[in-house]
Amino acid sequence: MKVQIIPEEIIWQYLANCLSGYPDQELPHRKHFDKLPLEIELSEEFLTRWRRTVGALVGREVAITFQFRPFLFLENDQVVRASALDELFWRQTTLAFSDRAPRRLWEDLVGRRQGKPPVWQTVTPADALFLALLDRRLVDRFDFAWLHANDAPWLVVAMFLHLWQFYNPATLPWKVYLERPDPVPLPLRELLIEHTATFFQALAYAIHRFGQAETDRPTSLPKPAQRRIRFFFEHAADVLRLASGDPFATGAIRTAVAAWTGPAALGFDDARFLEGAIEQYGLFRHIDAFHRECRALTDICQSGGIHEQELPDQTPSRHVSDL
């Protein structure tokens, strides 16, 4: 008996399962997946409906994520603020959803049965955002170097800044945007300042906690409220090596901020708004706290006769998605 299998219907059912919170729910004709082709034809009707559905889903998640938070935009060379509830916000970006995302989902369903899992990165940045929202385990498939190389719209980068979680990152994860500051759009500039400040707050606090534990003194730095970026040090060597070189790109940060508030300013008054953001989020205070805590721990170790070159070799932990 012949069985008619329509890939589009299976993809829609899988999407419905994911959105209802049951991605592993049984799909029709699953027993035949190991025999189905990986290459499929998708109708124009399907793609039109797909783009409309996916666009609405992503728009909803953006609104939930940012709510009433205002972003900086330029109109007639002057700064204005708008949130995800304002029309201006959506006029400032274009999200290009393609046929690649449903094809990757099909490959995930069918190809894995045949030992041919999908190459998730062969999608558009907007597709990548949708896939990461659909399955949070896919977030770490799309790092900031990939987003930058694929010219991700500022809103996609902004969402990934909120989706990613890091445990002991070896460097500043989004430093590629700070190393090339001039093209960075205005709303992303302010957001990068905020997230970079949060990064160094978490880093300074972790070093402080380690040093206080070693000397049995009370902790004086306030504990960061966020939990998306976390550090934990087991050996003094892990911290002391942070004091040499510039592993977290503080030089690039200062250069980028100087550019955004100087020669790379985009309008008449955006530099003033960014300077306010630097003060509001405490960017340089947290960077200075990081350097101060590194120096304090170095002094503690040296006073005890311990020097970096005498410490056992410890390979720094690379960053991983905390999902």
Side-chain angles (χ1 to χ4, degrees):
M1 183 179 75
K2 289 186 177 180
V3 177
Q4 185 180 25
I5 299 176
I6 303 175
E8 293 178 356
E9 293 181 356
I10 294 174
I11 293 171
W12 281 124
Q13 183 60 56
Y14 180 63
L15 178 59
N17 291 351
C18 291
L19 295 176
S20 64
Y22 299 98
D24 297 324
Q25 186 170 317
E26 188 60 31
L27 292 168
H29 311 299
R30 188 186 291 272
K31 64 181 180 181
H32 300 294
F33 281 6
D34 59 345
K35 302 180 181 66
L36 296 179
L38 292 180
E39 295 293 329
I40 57 174
E41 294 293 329
L42 298 173
S43 67
E44 284 301 319
E45 180 182 359
F46 171 88
L47 292 175
T48 299
R49 182 185 172 197
W50 176 267
R51 291 188 179 99
R52 184 170 60 247
T53 302
V54 168
L57 291 171
V58 170
R60 183 188 67 186
E61 289 298 320
V62 168
I64 291 172
T65 298
F66 295 123
Q67 298 183 14
F68 298 104
R69 179 210 166 97
F71 286 82
L72 299 180
F73 299 102
L74 285 180
E75 269 200 331
N76 300 322
D77 293 328
Q78 291 188 326
V79 172
V80 295
R81 285 192 177 274
S83 75
L85 301 180
D86 300 314
E87 182 184 349
L88 172 63
F89 178 97
W90 296 103
R91 292 204 309 265
Q92 297 292 327
T93 192
T94 300
L95 300 180
F97 301 103
S98 74
D99 63 345
R100 299 176 188 176
R103 293 183 190 280
R104 298 298 85 78
L105 291 177
W106 177 257
E107 292 168 0
D108 191 37
L109 294 171
V110 172
R112 287 188 183 280
R113 294 292 188 93
Q114 304 173 22
K116 300 174 182 177
V119 179
W120 293 107
Q121 293 82 358
T122 54
V123 294
T124 70
D127 291 336
L129 175 57
F130 163 70
L131 291 171
L133 292 171
L134 192 67
D135 185 347
R136 297 304 172 95
R137 293 171 297 180
L138 294 177
V139 170
D140 64 359
R141 303 282 180 160
F142 308 103
D143 61 17
F144 293 95
W146 183 91
L147 293 169
H148 187 273
N150 285 274
D151 296 321
W154 76 265
L155 183 55
V156 172
V157 181
M159 286 294 289
F160 271 102
L161 282 168
H162 283 266
L163 289 172
W164 265 98
Q165 299 188 35
F166 298 94
Y167 180 70
N168 277 4
T171 187
L172 187 67
W174 46 86
K175 69 175 182 176
V176 63
Y177 286 94
L178 299 164
E179 291 170 340
R180 301 167 179 83
D182 289 18
V184 176
L186 179 56
L188 190 55
R189 293 181 181 189
E190 184 184 36
L191 200 62
L192 286 169
I193 288 170
E194 176 188 351
H195 281 264
T196 303
T198 298
F199 182 94
F200 280 94
Q201 182 185 24
L203 177 57
Y205 178 77
I207 297 172
H208 182 74
R209 281 293 300 272
F210 180 87
Q212 299 296 64
E214 292 296 296
T215 57
D216 196 27
R217 289 183 294 174
T219 301
S220 58
L221 281 183
K223 184 177 182 179
Q226 63 82 33
R227 297 290 291 165
R228 294 181 301 100
I229 304 169
R230 288 179 283 173
F231 293 86
F232 178 78
F233 303 107
E234 294 185 355
H235 305 278
D238 295 336
V239 179
L240 292 183
R241 290 191 177 92
L242 302 182
S244 61
D246 190 17
F248 295 110
T250 59
I253 295 166
R254 294 184 184 277
T255 299
V257 169
W260 291 340
T261 56
L266 299 171
F268 293 128
D269 54 353
D270 54 307
R272 176 169 59 87
F273 281 88
L274 292 182
E275 287 168 352
I278 292 167
E279 180 63 27
Q280 176 186 350
Y281 299 118
L283 174 62
F284 293 136
R285 291 198 304 273
H286 294 312
I287 290 177
D288 290 343
F290 155 64
H291 289 304
R292 184 172 62 250
E293 295 302 327
C294 279
R295 288 194 299 270
L297 185 64
T298 299
D299 291 344
I300 291 171
C301 290
Q302 290 179 347
S303 65
I306 301 174
H307 300 275
E308 181 182 347
Q309 61 268 27
E310 298 171 351
L311 292 163
D313 183 37
Q314 299 290 335
T315 303
S317 302
R318 68 178 182 87
H319 78 266
V320 296
S321 179
D322 188 24
L323 294 172

